[in-house]
Structures are given as structure tokens and as C-alpha cells.
Amino acid sequence: MQTQETGVQYSRWNDNNRDEVNMTVSSTEASACHRLYGKLCTGKLGIAMKVVGGLGLFWIIFIVGYVTGYYVHKCK
């Protein structure tokens, strides 16, 4: 059984009229999707992944359009 390391602490300062909320979240609670997103979609690697994905999507749409245009405009 895992220990509960998550907590929320709320403190109110009456003299400055400021509220402060502190949240502590254990790193073991992050799901696999969040960890994968953190590695692949942020920083320099994230930019590279988006560029490669965009180029790949461009070429897929280009090839599908080319093949579709070929069969639509094919002379009989």
C-alpha cells in the first residue's frame, strides 16, 4: 500500500489580504501518460517531434491527394 504524500495547505494572511495555497504532489502519482508527455512534448525534443510529425502528416496528405487525383483524372 502506498503512502499518501499529496497534500493541500491553505493559509490566509489577514494583514496583507492575501491568500496562499500550497499543493504538494508526489512524483510517483504521475501517470505514465503524463511522464511520456513530459519527455516527448516539451523542450527541444518536443519541438523536434512536432516538426517531424508535421512533415510526416504533410507527406501522407500529399501522397493520398496525388493518388486520388491520379484516379479521378485518369483518361479512359
Side-chain angles (χ1 to χ4, degrees):
M1 191 164 193
Q2 296 180 357
T3 60
Q4 290 283 350
E5 294 181 9
T6 303
V8 176
Q9 183 179 13
Y10 177 78
S11 63
R12 185 174 194 142
W13 299 350
N14 291 331
D15 54 348
N16 293 333
N17 291 329
R18 286 183 22 184
D19 293 340
E20 181 180 343
V21 177
N22 296 324
M23 293 184 65
T24 356
V25 179
S26 172
S27 62
T28 57
E29 291 184 19
S31 67
C33 292
H34 284 93
R35 285 193 306 268
L36 186 63
Y37 173 82
K39 288 182 181 179
L40 295 180
C41 299
T42 57
K44 291 182 180 180
L45 181 60
I47 293 171
M49 294 290 287
K50 290 173 188 174
V51 168
V52 168
L55 288 173
L57 185 63
F58 168 78
W59 281 108
I60 289 171
I61 292 172
F62 180 81
I63 291 170
V64 168
Y66 183 84
V67 170
T68 303
Y70 174 79
Y71 284 110
V72 167
H73 298 289
K74 186 176 174 182
C75 294
K76 293 184 180 184

